Amino acid sequence: LKGEYSSFASGAVEGATNLPLRDDLALRALAYYDQSDGYLNQNGAHDTADATENNGQRLALRWLPDARTTLDV
């Protein structure tokens, strides 16, 4: 887990975990979020014209059916 905060009211958080499901099967989960109010100072309808907000998630599955084979999905 990682978090940060900086100028322009910008912040971010992200985290990842690995979960062994069996001896030959594992799941990896990752999520992130970041936002910023931007650095432009405007008045009116578009006062946050350069503001940003992003987020995402990802899952990955790894299966090791034998010693020579790896399947990542």
Side-chain angles (χ1 to χ4, degrees):
L1 185 60
K2 180 175 90 170
E4 60 186 58
Y5 185 82
S6 61
S7 59
F8 308 114
S10 298
V13 64
E14 66 181 62
T17 187
N18 294 313
L19 303 169
L21 303 175
R22 301 186 318 219
D23 287 344
D24 64 343
L25 189 64
L27 179 71
R28 178 173 175 84
L30 174 123
Y32 69 90
Y33 173 81
D34 65 69
Q35 69 83 32
S36 174
D37 287 348
Y39 60 91
L40 295 177
N41 189 5
Q42 304 182 98
N43 294 320
H46 300 288
D47 59 346
T48 57
D50 66 333
T52 61
E53 183 175 25
N54 301 293
N55 67 70
Q57 304 80 36
R58 182 176 61 203
L59 290 176
L61 189 66
R62 173 168 281 185
W63 180 39
L64 304 166
D66 59 49
R68 295 178 22 187
T69 307
T70 299
L71 177 64
D72 291 326
V73 179

